[in-house]
Amino acid sequence: MTTRSAVAEGKEPLALGWTFTLFIASVHVLALLSPWFFSWSALGVMIFLHWLFGSIGICLGFHRILSHRSLQVPKWLEYTIAIIGAMAIQGGPIFWVAGHRLHHAHTEDEDKDPYSAKRGFWWSHMLWMFYPRPEFFDYEMYKKYAPDLVRQPFYRWLNSYFIFLQIPLVALLYALGGWSFVIYGVVLRAVLLWHSTWLINSATHIRGYRTFECDDNSRNLWWAAILTYGEGWHNNHHAHPNVAKAGLRWYEIDMTWWAIKVLQTLGLAKKVVMPVNE
């Protein structure tokens, strides 16, 4: 299967990545079992892990610490948070950071932005992963966009073996609550967190308001910010990508920023990049 747009534009068509597509489809199908395994404790586990892996692992770790270096934490803590981010099943840290840096360097460019919104909602939301391009998915090609991580053996290891972190997680959840905890804490959590994160690539380049005039269509979208612990203030972020605080107005709730403030209070967060007017 190939993309019609590529054929129409005279470019080499992209082939469907069957392995990834079947994996994503399988997890979504398994998530449909959730009603039969419901319990309030399982729902609580899912919500907690959605926050832990999403806000702390992805938003704070992969995004604000590793991609933009918006703050510094001790190396042991950086590695711990990176492991938490890897457990979100959104790719390894080198892959994630390289793709995000490319997104900022070439925002909405249909060829250079891995998840360009100009290709349409579903392309930027998830199809860009179903039709993988070598420059974004081949380690030897994308690693040059995250040389600071490539230099560290820990990140090279985590980038290669992150998926195996699900094994001890499944074992722990099964021991604590059986298949109910596994379905909610691993499967349903993964699906909901995937789509929450993907909405930043898709919805926040279509809907919302603009506080800053950027050379792209990034927007601030309140409900996406709630689902992603502050990342939905996307126009703010594209205007000031290295700033650790995404919500700039009093009503722009940024839960990941609250975590940064806690780390500051504990003396664990240093060199926190702030908006120029604060």
Side-chain angles (χ1 to χ4, degrees):
M1 184 180 295
T2 58
T3 56
R4 293 181 179 179
S5 59
V7 175
E9 294 170 8
K11 299 177 181 178
E12 182 178 349
L14 298 175
L16 183 66
W18 284 105
T19 301
F20 178 81
T21 301
L22 291 174
F23 171 72
I24 293 294
S26 298
V27 177
H28 278 72
V29 170
L30 286 174
L32 296 177
L33 297 174
S34 300
W36 287 272
F37 288 88
F38 176 81
S39 71
W40 289 108
S41 56
L43 180 62
V45 167
M46 189 275 290
I47 293 172
F48 171 73
L49 293 180
H50 189 285
W51 165 79
L52 180 65
F53 298 162
S55 180
I56 304 304
I58 296 296
C59 302
L60 174 58
F62 278 19
H63 189 204
R64 304 190 196 189
I65 293 177
L66 298 184
S67 295
H68 296 290
R69 297 297 179 184
S70 301
L71 65 150
Q72 291 183 4
V73 297
K75 187 60 70 174
W76 66 266
L77 181 57
E78 178 184 309
Y79 284 175
T80 300
I81 294 174
I83 290 173
I84 295 171
M87 296 184 77
I89 324 179
Q90 295 188 10
I94 299 174
F95 166 80
W96 203 102
V97 169
H100 189 72
R101 288 176 178 175
L102 276 168
H103 169 66
H104 275 274
H106 308 287
T107 306
E108 297 177 356
D109 184 291
E110 293 190 26
D111 293 318
K112 298 179 181 179
D113 181 349
Y115 27 88
S116 172
K118 286 187 178 180
R119 285 179 172 262
F121 176 89
W122 286 110
W123 176 267
S124 57
H125 192 73
M126 60 195 301
L127 289 180
W128 69 278
M129 294 177 288
F130 291 178
Y131 294 91
R133 293 169 56 184
E135 58 266 43
F136 305 139
F137 286 84
D138 185 328
Y139 175 77
E140 293 302 323
M141 298 182 73
Y142 70 69
K143 71 177 185 179
K144 62 184 177 182
Y145 300 105
D148 49 328
L149 303 188
V150 173
R151 285 193 294 268
Q152 302 178 57
F154 170 77
Y155 285 120
R156 296 198 301 270
W157 173 85
L158 190 60
N159 198 69
S160 297
Y161 301 109
F162 71 92
I163 194 65
F164 294 105
L165 295 175
Q166 299 303 304
I167 296 175
L169 176 63
V170 168
L172 175 62
L173 291 177
Y174 184 80
L176 293 175
W179 288 114
S180 177
F181 275 27
V182 173
I183 293 295
Y184 274 78
V186 177
V187 180
L188 185 60
R189 178 270 306 169
V191 170
L192 294 179
L193 185 53
W194 283 340
H195 286 282
S196 298
T197 303
W198 298 343
L199 282 169
I200 304 305
N201 302 336
S202 55
T204 60
H205 281 265
I206 298 174
R207 302 289 184 184
Y209 63 89
R210 291 168 59 82
T211 300
F212 301 96
E213 289 299 323
C214 302
D215 294 331
D216 55 62
N217 200 39
S218 59
R219 295 173 179 273
N220 294 323
L221 189 57
W222 68 270
W223 55 264
I226 293 174
L227 293 174
T228 58
Y229 309 99
E231 301 297 87
W233 311 119
H234 205 50
N235 177 248
N236 295 347
H237 175 60
H238 269 262
H240 306 286
N242 296 326
V243 169
K245 186 178 182 182
L248 302 182
R249 294 174 175 173
W250 67 268
Y251 53 82
E252 295 177 342
I253 297 174
D254 181 1
M255 289 183 64
T256 302
W257 171 245
W258 300 349
I260 295 173
K261 291 296 293 181
V262 170
L263 292 177
Q264 276 190 307
T265 301
L266 296 174
L268 293 173
K270 306 289 185 180
K271 297 184 179 180
V272 179
V273 180
M274 295 294 293
V276 293
N277 58 345
E278 293 190 21

